[in-house]
């Protein structure tokens, strides 16, 4: 499908998008799984899509792998193409887009290409110390599909720096549009989900 066609078909369907943001290890993936279960959204993690792209042996694979290893943000063109494709193939009309937009370039390009404005931004606010502990622990879960190359202390520090310098300004942008729903993510996963439920209650329970 041509780029313009893809964007057009998403607009026609009037898809609803919630951006799920927060530092590395703040619990985005964990909470998205709960939201999918209870509110019928489809979860698209930009990081997961990029990792799948590496595995698929795509021509961009090596570039993506190098950027992830350095905690850098992959050019928007690549990530947006993957997100659009996933949204179209899935067919749902409610999406959680997790870990995107990660910088101003991501944000402006997504807006330009898809013309989709998020319903709101779910922001998991968590101190770095807690996130670091969780990420190092995630890497200890041997044979887990979540064991990741970039969950080492060197890359984690780089990811934190990128979050502060590039991703927080995106959250600030959405604050200025009154679109941020902030959740204290430094609590247990169950406690965090109690707050999340309150935010999503207007979407009603899952249809089926
Ligand atoms: P993100 O997608 O934001 O990077 P994850 O959901 O993958 O974060 O969580 C990172 C790690 O922390 C995982 O190992 C996960 O099981 C764990 N975790 C998630 N939420 C919590 C929480 N509220 N308290 C403690 N550990 C958590
Ligand atoms: O969100 P997640 O922790 O899975 O992201 C892992 C890595 O994927 C990031 O550190 C970054 O290198 C890459 N990424 C990106 N652009 C995004 C999301 C993730 O380049 N929008
Ligand atoms: Mg994640």
């Amino acid at each position: 499908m041509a780029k313009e066609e893809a964007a057009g078909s998403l607009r026609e369907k009037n898809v609803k998008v919630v951006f799920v943001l927060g530092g590395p290890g703040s619990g985005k993936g964990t909470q998205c799984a709960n939201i999918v279960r209870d509110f019928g959204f489809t979860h698209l993690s930009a990081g997961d899509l990029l990792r799948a792209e590496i595995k698929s042996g795509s021509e961009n694979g090596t570039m993506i792998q190098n950027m992830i290893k350095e905690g850098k943000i992959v050019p928007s063109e690549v990530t947006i193409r993957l997100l659009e494709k996933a949204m179209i193939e899935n067919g749902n009309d409610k999406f959680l887009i997790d870990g995107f937009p990660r910088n101003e370039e991501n944000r402006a390009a997504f807006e330009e290409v898809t013309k989709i404005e998020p319903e709101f931004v779910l922001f998991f606010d968590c101190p770095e110390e807690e996130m670091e502990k969780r990420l190092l622990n995630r890497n200890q879960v041997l044979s887990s599909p979540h064991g990741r190359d970039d969950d080492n202390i060197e890359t984690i520090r780089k990811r934190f720096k990128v979050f502060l310098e590039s991703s927080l300004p995106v959250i600030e942008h959405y604050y200025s549009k009154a679109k941020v729903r902030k959740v204290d993510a430094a609590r247990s996963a169950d406690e965090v989900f109690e707050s999340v439920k309150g935010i999503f209650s207007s979407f009603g329970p899952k249809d089926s």
Side-chain angles (χ1 to χ4, degrees):
M1 196 184 293
K3 251 195 211 164
E4 298 73 25
E5 228 182 296
S9 88
L10 289 173
R11 262 201 310 281
E12 263 167 45
K13 273 180 71 185
N14 192 22
V15 298
K16 294 205 175 347
V17 163
V18 172
F19 288 145
V20 182
L21 300 178
S26 58
K28 300 182 292 295
T30 303
Q31 296 300 328
C32 281
N34 293 334
I35 302 165
V36 165
R37 186 194 60 218
D38 289 3
F39 297 100
F41 277 73
T42 292
H43 174 211
L44 298 178
S45 153
D48 287 351
L49 289 170
L50 290 167
R51 284 182 287 273
E53 187 70 357
I54 299 172
K55 279 206 185 134
S56 77
S58 120
E59 56 175 324
N60 285 322
T62 313
M63 179 273 289
I64 298 171
Q65 193 162 25
N66 289 333
M67 308 245 0
I68 289 183
K69 191 83 212 287
E70 289 302 311
K72 289 184 182 157
I73 297 166
V74 173
S76 301
E77 199 190 319
V78 172
T79 317
I80 292 172
R81 185 175 46 76
L82 294 172
L83 286 169
E84 270 192 317
K85 183 163 174 279
M87 283 196 275
I88 289 162
E89 282 177 1
N90 180 274
N92 196 350
D93 61 354
K94 295 191 287 185
F95 294 95
L96 300 168
I97 300 193
D98 156 3
F100 182 99
R102 227 27 174 242
N103 62 10
E104 271 298 304
E105 194 221 352
N106 273 181
R107 185 194 66 71
F110 185 84
E111 208 170 284
E112 172 71 26
V113 171
T114 68
K115 315 282 187 224
I116 295 171
E117 262 287 312
E119 301 300 300
F120 58 84
V121 172
L122 182 62
F123 170 37
F124 291 117
D125 188 27
C126 197
E128 231 174 71
E129 201 188 46
E130 172 67 19
M131 295 195 286
E132 184 177 301
K133 223 167 47 191
R134 290 181 190 176
L135 292 175
L136 291 172
N137 184 50
R138 182 166 69 179
N139 214 25
Q140 294 308 306
V141 188
L142 291 175
S143 77
S144 143
H146 306 295
R148 283 169 38 171
D149 269 5
D150 58 345
D151 285 348
N152 60 76
I153 193 65
E154 228 172 84
T155 310
I156 287 170
R157 297 254 153 93
K158 289 180 182 163
R159 289 155 70 198
F160 285 159
K161 189 160 183 282
V162 168
F163 177 70
L164 290 178
E165 288 175 357
S166 305
S167 310
L168 271 181
V170 173
I171 296 167
E172 285 305 325
H173 167 87
Y174 286 112
Y175 265 117
S176 75
K177 302 181 93 179
K179 287 217 158 177
V180 178
R181 309 286 180 269
K182 179 167 98 163
V183 172
D184 171 8
R187 298 168 293 160
S188 75
D190 287 348
E191 285 170 315
V192 174
F193 190 53
E194 281 306 311
S195 302
V196 169
K197 268 199 259 189
I199 293 168
F200 278 83
S201 56
S202 66
F203 284 96
K206 205 170 162 175
D207 291 340
S208 57

